[in-house]
Amino acid sequence: MQIAIVNGPNLNLLGKREVEIYGDQTFEQYFKQLRVDFSEIELIYFQSNHEGAIIDFIQEKGFEVDGIILNAGGLSHTSVSLADAISAVPAKVLEVHISNIFARQKFRHHSFLSPVSAGIISGFGLDGYRMALSHFLK
């Protein structure tokens, strides 16, 4: 099984940015542990601050991998194009948010990605990625 984890804008700053919301661990540190804990899954990681690069990645890998865990960050609330890319590929996509987007600013309560994703995990910190991987193993 091959799963791609895709992080969007500003998630490259995990461990440095708003640690009270996002924690003090970098995603790269966390990803190393995920590889150990889910050794039966081939994990691919991609992060970009650019919407087009994320769309290109999904269009390419969405035909190859068994699933995609997508934390599109702020693009979740603004990108119809990203939703279209998810709809265009056969890979099952799980939308993940580190923070509880429904407990934050009102504009974060809507996601263009949720209607085209297989599910959403929000508010469990970095453990949301672990939950998504566990789902793919079922």
Side-chain angles (χ1 to χ4, degrees):
M1 176 179 292
Q2 189 177 52
I3 303 294
I5 297 176
V6 180
N7 279 340
N10 300 309
L11 291 164
N12 57 309
L13 296 177
L14 287 177
K16 300 175 187 173
R17 137 186 207 227
E18 298 173 284
V19 294
E20 67 282 357
I21 296 173
Y22 300 107
D24 61 359
Q25 187 175 30
T26 69
F27 194 80
E28 289 75 14
Q29 292 167 332
Y30 184 70
F31 186 69
K32 285 179 187 177
Q33 189 60 49
L34 287 178
R35 280 201 157 145
V36 171
D37 295 344
F38 291 90
S39 59
E40 67 275 33
I41 301 174
E42 182 183 346
L43 294 175
I44 300 168
Y45 177 55
F46 178 77
Q47 187 279 327
S48 180
N49 291 319
H50 304 282
E51 180 178 18
I54 296 168
I55 291 169
D56 288 344
F57 183 88
I58 289 172
Q59 288 178 352
E60 177 187 344
K61 295 296 182 183
F63 289 95
E64 300 172 7
V65 299
D66 298 294
I68 297 171
I69 298 169
L70 175 61
N71 183 344
L75 292 175
S76 305
H77 319 294
T78 63
S79 182
V80 173
S81 297
L82 193 50
D84 288 345
I86 293 168
S87 295
V89 300
K92 181 178 181 179
V93 175
L94 293 178
E95 180 182 2
V96 170
H97 296 280
I98 296 168
S99 67
N100 179 354
I101 60 174
F102 303 101
R104 297 184 67 192
Q105 303 95 326
K106 189 168 177 68
F107 72 86
R108 295 185 194 276
H109 297 183
H110 177 266
S111 168
F112 284 101
L113 311 184
S114 296
V116 295
S117 296
I120 179 173
I121 300 169
S122 177
F124 292 95
L126 290 175
D127 280 340
Y129 295 91
R130 183 177 302 282
M131 296 166 125
L133 285 168
S134 295
H135 174 77
F136 278 117
L137 286 176
K138 290 182 180 183

